[in-house]
Amino acid sequence: MVRAVRIEEVGGPEVMALREVPLEPPGPGMAQVENRAIGLNFIDTYHRGGLYPIPLPSGLGTEGAGVVVAVGEGADVAVGDRVAYCSAGLGSYAEAVNLPAARLVPVPDGVDFDIAAAAMLKGQTAEYLLRRCYALREGQTCLFHAAAGGVGLIFGQWARALGATVIGTVGSADKVDIALAHGYNHVINYREEDVAQAVADLTGGVGVPVVYDGVGRDTFEVSLNCLQPRGLMVSFGNASGAPEPLDLQRLAAGGSLYITRPTLVSYTASTEDLRQSAAAVFERILDGSVQVAIGQRYALADIVRAHRDLEARRTTGSTILEPR
């Protein structure tokens, strides 16, 4: 038996409960991972709240890091391996979990479990956004919303290391300072400034070639207004809710704009892509160009409070759940 968070129905944070549940030995191609650290991500609230439907009852959580303690036939990992994961299925909010071995990535020496669990989903998201969805180049300027969030802090450092000029948006003066300390050249407090006007001022009226928007409804139109002609809007999340349906004529009016709605799942669909993406993240951590900020920690028993704080935007950087 292991302790794990379960939900019987979708709803607010109160639908989550920590329970003792059975954990069978891993089957063929599976591995059992004893979690040492668990990542908390906004997508977890989408699963819990029903925005992204899941079969019920269910576990929650997609990210963690720990040690392989048992393997099934054909698994390409071994007992004792240090591994991390963020796209292996639901159920990371647990002391231990069975996962497909092909969705596990090796954690190199020099990266501890807390950092691995904090960096996997956010780091791999930043990796595909700036290396593969739109390959940022030295000298280019980009805009990233929610710059003081977990993905935002990694993105800012990585983009700055590439030689890009990085503009971020945040919602408070404290978060301005945090973003500036993590690679952003310019930070706009959207509660005090008109974002589109500020971007126009910073770019000499030209706009940016790409906007990375994980906020959704609240920033969608603003993002389009910040683009230069033939610019790309990367809408990769819905933290404020799903945007309204888009009239394609809006893209024409903005100057032949492009839009994409990517997901990490698509960009790490193969084991090769998954492990190459993770290796790129860990390489940046080890060479010091990306430092992962763990802003808060919660015991697994405090999962309800953790979700409430996350949804109220009271968190900064990455959040770790401690399984024991």
Side-chain angles (χ1 to χ4, degrees):
M1 302 290 284
V2 297
R3 294 192 310 156
V5 172
R6 303 286 294 177
I7 62 170
E8 303 289 332
E9 60 181 348
V10 298
E14 67 280 356
V15 302
M16 296 181 293
L18 186 62
R19 297 179 176 172
E20 292 277 340
V21 300
L23 184 62
E24 302 295 328
M30 303 290 285
Q32 189 169 113
V33 178
E34 183 181 273
N35 283 324
R36 301 296 175 82
I38 301 163
L40 177 72
N41 297 287
F42 220 96
I43 193 173
D44 303 345
T45 70
Y46 301 163
H47 293 142
R48 186 212 73 223
L51 180 62
Y52 292 176
I54 58 175
L56 296 173
S58 178
L60 285 176
T62 61
E63 182 180 40
V67 177
V68 175
V69 294
V71 296
E73 182 181 357
D76 64 348
V77 295
V79 171
D81 283 355
R82 302 172 76 244
V83 297
Y85 58 93
C86 70
S87 55
L90 292 173
S92 70
Y93 291 3
E95 292 175 329
V97 62
N98 290 330
L99 299 167
R103 303 306 295 173
L104 303 176
V105 304
V107 176
D109 293 338
V111 178
D112 66 30
F113 291 119
D114 282 5
I115 295 299
M120 276 293 294
L121 189 144
K122 299 172 183 69
Q124 287 193 290
T125 298
E127 182 278 325
Y128 89 76
L129 288 175
L130 57 74
R131 293 178 76 217
R132 293 184 284 153
C133 186
Y134 183 97
L136 271 180
R137 301 189 303 275
E138 184 177 359
Q140 287 187 310
T141 300
C142 66
L143 175 66
F144 191 99
H145 291 296
V151 177
L153 295 184
I154 293 173
F155 181 95
Q157 297 174 81
W158 201 328
R160 185 72 172 268
L162 294 174
T165 297
V166 200
I167 304 171
T169 70
V170 297
S172 70
D174 289 346
K175 290 185 177 182
V176 170
D177 294 335
I178 292 170
L180 287 172
H182 288 82
Y184 287 85
N185 301 85
H186 311 282
V187 182
I188 303 164
N189 184 340
Y190 62 80
R191 298 188 189 280
E192 298 179 355
E193 301 179 71
D194 181 302
V195 173
Q197 184 60 55
V199 169
D201 293 342
L202 290 168
T203 61
V206 174
V208 294
V210 59
V211 176
Y212 299 95
D213 188 338
V215 175
R217 180 187 299 129
D218 290 353
T219 54
F220 193 83
E221 185 65 24
V222 170
S223 294
L224 293 176
N225 290 337
C226 291
L227 287 170
Q228 63 189 43
R230 296 191 294 172
L232 175 65
M233 159 70 154
V234 181
S235 177
F236 69 95
N238 303 309
S240 66
E244 297 296 322
L246 176 68
D247 181 352
L248 290 179
Q249 293 304 314
R250 175 66 181 84
L251 303 181
S256 299
L257 303 178
Y258 294 85
I259 188 165
T260 183
R261 180 57 175 91
T263 66
L264 178 61
V265 171
S266 298
Y267 278 83
T268 57
S270 71
T271 300
E272 180 181 10
D273 283 344
L274 171 73
R275 291 179 177 170
Q276 286 182 353
S277 177
V281 174
F282 291 138
E283 180 180 356
R284 286 292 181 179
I285 292 171
L286 289 170
D287 72 15
S289 57
V290 168
Q291 297 182 16
V292 179
I294 299 175
Q296 44 280 312
R297 300 169 185 270
Y298 300 85
L300 193 56
D302 291 330
I303 189 62
V304 171
R305 180 165 63 91
H307 270 231
R308 285 178 175 152
D309 287 350
L310 181 65
E311 290 183 299
R313 301 191 184 185
R314 289 192 288 263
T315 64
T316 60
S318 297
T319 301
I320 289 297
L321 303 173
E322 298 174 337
R324 290 185 172 82

